[in-house]
Amino acid sequence: MTNPQYFDDATSVTVPTDRLAADPLPSEAAYQIVLDEAMLDGNARLNLATFVTTWMDDNADKIYAAAADKNMIDKDEYPATAAIEARCATIMASLWNAPSPTTTIGVSAIGSSEACMLGGLALKRRWQHARKAAGKDATRPNLVMSSAVQVVWEKFCNYWDVEPRYVPVTEEHPTLDRTNVTDQIDENTIGVVAIMGVTYTGAYEPVAEIAAALDEFEKKTGLDIPIHVDGASGGFIAPFLQPEIVWDFRLPRVKSINTSGHKYGLVYPGLGWVVWREKEDLPEDLIFNVSYLGGNMPTLAINFSRPGAQVLLQYYMFLRLGFEGYRKVQQESQDIAKYLSSEIARIPAFTLWSDGSDIPVFAWRLTPGHTENWNLYNLQLLLRAHGWLVPAYPMPDNLGDQTVQRIVVRNGMSMDLAKELIREIKAQTEYLDSLDGPMPHPKATDSFTH
Ligand SMILES: *Cc1c(COP(=O)(O)O)cnc(C)c1O
């Protein structure tokens, strides 16, 4: 087809968007229409709201294109992809200091959400078995976690009939910690979720401290409460940037960990992982055995068919970067996050909530008393008009009257872009501060979810 597009009868058609068109379009025309519409999504590199990978190198793109047809569930048809999946899980078990990485079990999933469901299901089933074996009621399970958990944990509790018990976050206790974790635990508690990288602020919850409080609690009550760590972001940051923080399988109470391969695992969307401390921590009866190539392949997943390409991309990243490569990439993101947060801290209108020193994510709020004329939603809209997506949103529950604004720094955010962003934030803040009357105050919209 020749340029310009949309000039002849075949291509200058108006396509219906509520039903199938009666006739086919030329491939080139359909291609162009889809690409044109997708262009309206904006520029992913200026999107500082998402945690998910928006850039991979050319060779990764080639692997993706070559492997786009692989179905992860067809372990029979694609035994090599299945073997690579197992290898990646073992690599993560080693990274997280499992006692025996080669004999434990871990699986890929479509994202951390599915991985969290699997982790939560294992906790629930394990608790049910123990209750039934002791001749006790096993119908009213509950799960203890911070009120700042990612929405997947609300979904888990809703979909699998588990009572959520939220520990409220407050100014004094912004995360789950030693002082509040045991408040709501009883014999029906299937486990505690600890978050390495709270979505709202980027902060780590003190997993070792939480585990110690649960040790104390067990001494007093006899209740042995397991921990699942939601390391959606931190699972790929802490091992490289904060090796001294003990949060993983070094703590015997941590029975399972999930992460998002498509966040700081640096792979395109569609990949999560969950790994159990030891094989025994995953109840056997959750595993389906599928025979393949004369062998037996254990499978554990909520989905059946899903893309296998992302697993190959994860393996590519492991080979390409190694430990030192991951460390450098994550360090660069953290350096930029800290640069940005230090610049924002210098603007009188803003007070930092976090500074990006855990995961490279930080949030700030309006300095109390600074102004009645504008709020962070005004700033969000102005930045958006200049191409930058920097979301503002309310904190959870108890802190719901607090609005914060957040930046997620990912691989691909250069120092050059960071300086440009700071220039824009300063310019828009100056403009807002120059107003002699109040802006209409927009409220939290439904458009931003974590
Ligand atoms: C992003 C996130 C999730 C959900 O992960 P997906 O990979 O998007 O499904 C769960 N927990 C936390 C803490 C997250 O940041």
Side-chain angles (χ1 to χ4, degrees), residues 2 5 27 34 71 111 134 142 163 227 293 296 325 368 383 388 398:
T2 47
Q5 305 279 15
S27 161
V34 173
N71 184 352
N142 69 66
E163 178 200 341
I227 295 176
L293 287 187
N296 218 352
L383 290 173
W388 296 97
N398 294 53

Side-chain angles (χ1 to χ4, degrees), residues 371-383 428 431-443:
T371 183
E372 292 295 319
N373 283 350
W374 56 277
N375 63 24
L376 294 173
Y377 299 109
N378 294 121
L379 179 59
Q380 172 186 359
L381 286 172
L382 284 172
L383 290 173
Q428 297 311 327
Y431 162 72
L432 288 165
D433 270 343
S434 74
L435 297 171
D436 50 17
M439 288 279 265
H441 281 6
K443 289 270 182 303

Side-chain angles (χ1 to χ4, degrees), residues 111-113 150 152 195 197 199 230 232 260 262-263:
S112 271
S113 301
Q150 211 265 357
V152 63
I195 315 166
T199 322
D230 182 350
S260 295
H262 57 213
K263 291 185 177 174

Side-chain angles (χ1 to χ4, degrees), residues 215-340:
D215 292 346
E216 275 299 303
F217 184 77
E218 183 177 0
K219 271 190 219 140
K220 275 191 258 159
T221 63
L223 294 175
D224 178 8
I225 307 293
I227 295 176
H228 172 92
V229 176
D230 182 350
S233 303
F236 269 112
I237 295 289
F240 302 106
L241 297 189
Q242 300 101 354
E244 71 288 354
I245 299 180
V246 179
W247 63 277
D248 55 14
F249 295 125
R250 282 168 284 180
L251 299 167
R253 202 170 280 283
V254 172
K255 302 299 184 195
S256 47
I257 301 174
N258 70 274
T259 198
S260 295
H262 57 213
K263 291 185 177 174
Y264 290 102
L266 307 176
V267 173
Y268 286 135
L271 187 64
W273 297 96
V274 54
V275 176
W276 281 270
R277 174 185 183 74
E278 291 179 279
K279 219 164 176 245
E280 303 73 62
D281 294 313
L282 175 65
E284 278 272 330
D285 54 349
L286 286 177
I287 300 174
F288 287 79
N289 285 301
V290 181
S291 40
Y292 94 110
L293 287 187
N296 218 352
M297 195 72 192
T299 74
L300 173 68
I302 291 170
N303 294 289
F304 194 68
S305 298
R306 70 183 164 83
Q310 275 78 356
V311 167
L312 299 186
L313 289 177
Q314 184 77 75
Y315 191 51
Y316 168 72
M317 290 310 293
F318 285 166
L319 295 177
R320 168 82 183 93
L321 292 178
F323 189 93
E324 184 53 18
Y326 266 98
R327 196 194 62 72
K328 278 194 172 138
V329 168
Q330 316 299 35
Q331 186 64 58
E332 178 70 11
S333 294
Q334 182 145 74
D335 289 349
I336 289 177
K338 283 191 172 168
Y339 162 76
L340 286 168

Side-chain angles (χ1 to χ4, degrees), residues 127-128 130-139 187-188 223:
W127 171 84
Q128 283 172 328
R131 295 285 291 177
K132 284 178 187 157
K136 292 182 176 158
D137 173 61
T139 59
E187 60 179 4
N188 291 320
L223 294 175

